[in-house]
Amino acid sequence: MSSPASRPTERIARALPQVFMDASLPIIVEDLEGLVISTNPAAEEAYGWSNEELVGLPIKTLVPPSHHEQADELLSLCRSGELVRDVEGLRKRKDGKLIPVLLTLSLLTGENEQQFIASMATDISALKAAEERL
């Protein structure tokens, strides 16, 4: 039986899948090898790939070759338990368009102690365009 103090935590954990689905930021969940496990609807909209198309593919499918080394480094940092927050990167849409983003990656532990990585990307296209105008 769970203690009274753990009940709110359990309720929050059960509600997290809804947060994942409702989030306005693209979220991609990958395994520790960098293979996509799941995407939220915002990721589908941002990148033009359906969840079904991306599941099982390397996260690098969404990363231009010029940033593959960065993707490997961020994956390695995250696997070691470091929080990766607000790192500039690029995402590649299915149509080939590049999107500048700020990335946040978190190492998460699920049922049976299985670990995976959730990455969120904030589109900074407008900010980059403003910088170029200055």
Side-chain angles (χ1 to χ4, degrees), residues 91-104:
R91 287 290 181 251
K92 183 175 68 172
R93 288 182 39 85
K94 187 176 183 180
D95 64 12
K97 180 182 177 190
L98 298 180
I99 303 168
V101 294
L102 280 181
L103 298 166
T104 297

Side-chain angles (χ1 to χ4, degrees), residues 25-26 47 86 99-104 120-125:
L25 289 178
Y47 306 130
D86 295 334
I99 303 168
V101 294
L102 280 181
L103 298 166
T104 297
M120 293 174 285
T122 303
D123 184 336
I124 57 170
S125 297

